Amino acid sequence: MNDAASGATPAPRRARVRAPELLGKGGWLNTGGKALNLADLRGKCVVVDFWTFCCVNCLHVLDELRELEERHRDTVVIVGVHSPKFVHEAEHQAVVDAVERYGVEHPVLDDPELATWKQYAVRAWPTLVVIDPEGYVVAQHAGEGHAHAIEKLVEELEAEHAAKGTLRRGDGPYVPPEPVATDLRFPGKALRLPGGTFLVSDTTRHQLVELAADGEQVLRRIGSGERGLGPDSFNEPQGLALLPGGKVAVADTVNHAIRILDPETGALETVAGTGKQWWQGSPTSGPALEVDLSSPWDLAWWQDRLWIAMAGVHQLWTYDPVGRTVGVAAGTTNEGLVDGPAAEAWFAQPSGLAAAGDRLWVADSETSAVRWVEPAGTGAGYDVHTAVGTGLFDFGHRDGGAEQALLQHPLGVTALPDGSVAVADTYNHALRRYDPATGEVTTLATDLREPSAAVLADDDIVVVESARHRLTRLRLPEEAVRVESVAHRTQRAATEVAPGALRLDVVFQAPTGQKLDTRYGPSTRLLVSATPPELLADGAGAGSDLARDLVLADGITEGVLHVSAMAASCDDDPEIEYPACHVHQQDWGVPVQVAAGGVARLGLVLAGLDEAP
């Protein structure tokens, strides 16, 4: 299958488009206080990473770029442009915290008003833009899996500009911040051990920490503190779950693995995951140590299985310790909020789990939702329901009936003794409560700083205040705190589209030296849907072409187009017996407004440059 047959756009002649200036009201981080501009970076290959810290795909890209940063340190400058989705992410201190939390070791521009995002016509998180040493845009990539292609391009640019005399080698503008001494650093999750002490995932320091019953005194640290998957190391661990028998399961998030800790001996065993990130087409079940995982964020023991909030692929998985197998339990990998049978449900970065009788509560962070899973009424399988939340773009802080209540990117849920559930409403800096008996949402506490989890301790609830680097003990209040209601929608501007026919083009240009992989059938995939579903009169569904003609329904003036694209490319050299292959994928949620004079074509760049008018 050639590029045209697959819907991919043939590689055009490289466009000479001058890169817009990097501007952001929040200023620069990791530069020692210096404001940068593109003139300062002339002579370097610049990779601009448009990211937001709520987005697990953006975190994956940060990890993908680490090796590129290291191998080309004297010729490449990576610049992060932080472009917020949630209101909290527009706060400067929150960006400062995120840069430290995720170990970002390059300059970051805080762009709370999306000024640079708009100048570069970015449509998705994450998006990578490559600028050559003379200041021209030469490529754009959306989503994950592009590090290999970018490195090939960088090598071409190095050779070209070294020959022209326009390549400047030497140190980049990165200046590391001063380290801060605290017992915990951006802790993620916690659990109470049978002896009354607390085990906490000290995420940024790649350790577990046991604290005394007061939640303050450090008793011991587990792990070397260096990133790794060895017998004494973690990589940004998050969720913890107490297993029958007293051992502790650990979601070793950036290692894409599940580990088992024996609290008595400190012994650490990997029981699931290969250390590699799951990609489309990889096995979704099988022997646990042979199946890739993707950013497991939280864990819970329920229905005789270890349930895994697989944030990186918007699914729930389970681990069976008897058979030592893993498999998908709920979710399709599509990002969104869809209830129903587990195999058809959509999640959006599930990040918190809590088992309570016949329900498994889920903090579904990107939809600002609380969901639950329960055995299906048919007696086979599971069903997924939503308690609070409406979708990817609506969030805020509003109490009252669950059908209109709002949260903002919750990361944790805790089952309470009365059958209700406490919610770590992370970006609202609050502890909320949903009562299924009344259908009401209330606020239990405010003035917390990015709470990411909570655990019961007798009559108290102990909250992980991640951005204050501590555990905070609260009395479970009998009455809710009154708060002023606030509702938000993401500040991304809607794309105006013409009524009727709309051409969707996903641009994909295989990296230099690679071709689309057609050995096992179509090498590309496109899935299109809409919110509300009635927005699309025609064109929804799955197919292998990266181009599609959509028809917008009459009478619906706004909505969101959900587009998921994947392309697989391999080395284009018949002499290579085992060609290296790479998967490129991205999900877009594109807010649209139907208006006369709107565009009749929607171009989304998976990899390359969109040359169409």
Side-chain angles (χ1 to χ4, degrees), residues 49 51-53 80-84 89-90 95 108-112 114:
D49 176 18
W51 69 298
T52 189
F53 65 77
V81 176
H82 188 269
S83 312
E89 292 175 305
V95 181
V108 173
L109 175 64
D110 180 10
D111 183 18
L114 302 182

Side-chain angles (χ1 to χ4, degrees), residues 427-469:
Y427 289 1
N428 279 328
H429 311 299
L431 188 68
R432 311 286 290 283
R433 176 177 177 264
Y434 167 67
D435 186 350
T438 64
E440 293 287 310
V441 174
T442 52
T443 298
L444 298 179
T446 57
D447 193 31
L448 302 167
R449 187 70 185 170
E450 291 193 23
S452 54
V455 59
L456 292 174
D458 303 320
D459 295 328
D460 298 335
I461 189 165
V462 177
V463 180
V464 180
E465 270 199 278
S466 188
R468 284 200 178 114
H469 320 293

Side-chain angles (χ1 to χ4, degrees), residues 74-383:
D74 67 333
T75 59
V76 171
V77 173
I78 294 175
V79 174
V81 176
H82 188 269
S83 312
K85 171 186 174 180
F86 290 98
V87 169
H88 169 60
E89 292 175 305
E91 297 177 14
H92 182 69
Q93 185 57 48
V95 181
V96 172
D97 289 344
V99 167
E100 180 188 350
R101 181 195 299 267
Y102 297 115
V104 180
E105 295 184 353
H106 51 248
V108 173
L109 175 64
D110 180 10
D111 183 18
E113 297 176 347
L114 302 182
T116 297
W117 164 289
K118 294 170 186 173
Q119 286 295 309
Y120 280 78
V122 175
R123 293 185 181 274
W125 297 278
T127 290
L128 298 166
V129 176
V130 182
I131 302 172
D132 74 11
E134 293 180 296
Y136 292 93
V137 173
V138 292
Q140 181 172 324
H141 303 263
E144 304 177 47
H146 300 294
H148 171 79
I150 290 174
E151 183 158 30
K152 288 286 187 185
L153 177 56
V154 162
E155 290 169 354
E156 292 177 19
L157 293 173
E158 287 174 340
E160 175 186 342
H161 288 273
K164 290 173 64 175
T166 50
L167 184 70
R168 178 167 55 88
R169 296 184 179 273
D171 292 339
Y174 170 66
V175 178
E178 289 293 324
V180 182
T182 54
D183 288 333
L184 301 174
R185 205 70 193 160
F186 298 104
K189 306 288 185 180
L191 64 77
R192 197 181 189 204
L193 294 171
T197 60
F198 294 94
L199 189 66
V200 184
S201 54
D202 196 15
T203 304
T204 297
R205 292 206 178 113
H206 317 296
Q207 292 180 317
L208 306 183
V209 176
E210 186 178 1
L211 300 178
D214 63 5
E216 297 182 10
Q217 181 187 355
V218 175
L219 299 179
R220 62 171 168 163
R221 295 183 176 276
I222 301 166
S224 65
E226 299 294 325
R227 293 180 187 268
L229 189 55
D232 188 34
S233 57
F234 300 96
N235 197 343
E236 297 185 24
Q238 287 281 349
L240 306 167
L242 193 63
L243 301 176
K247 292 186 178 181
V248 175
V250 182
D252 198 358
T253 303
V254 179
N255 274 329
H256 310 294
I258 306 299
R259 323 289 294 279
I260 300 292
L261 170 72
D262 185 337
E264 297 297 323
T265 65
L268 188 63
E269 178 189 6
T270 301
V271 297
T274 64
K276 298 178 181 178
Q277 183 184 336
W278 186 94
W279 289 99
Q280 291 286 353
S282 301
T284 56
S285 63
L289 288 172
E290 298 175 15
V291 177
D292 298 337
L293 309 181
S294 183
S295 296
W297 210 274
D298 203 10
L299 306 168
W301 182 259
W302 186 63
Q303 300 271 311
D304 297 322
R305 296 284 190 277
L306 182 68
W307 285 68
I308 306 167
M310 202 72 76
V313 285
H314 317 298
Q315 291 180 313
L316 304 181
W317 289 40
T318 60
Y319 166 68
D320 175 6
V322 177
R324 289 187 168 250
T325 57
V326 292
V328 176
T332 65
T333 75
N334 297 114
E335 184 178 13
L337 193 153
V338 176
D339 290 338
E344 301 171 14
W346 291 21
F347 294 90
Q349 217 169 296
S351 302
L353 299 175
D358 62 356
R359 288 188 176 185
L360 178 69
W361 293 102
V362 183
D364 203 28
S365 62
E366 279 293 287
T367 53
S368 297
V370 173
R371 321 277 296 276
W372 83 86
V373 180
E374 65 182 3
T378 60
Y382 297 92
D383 288 331

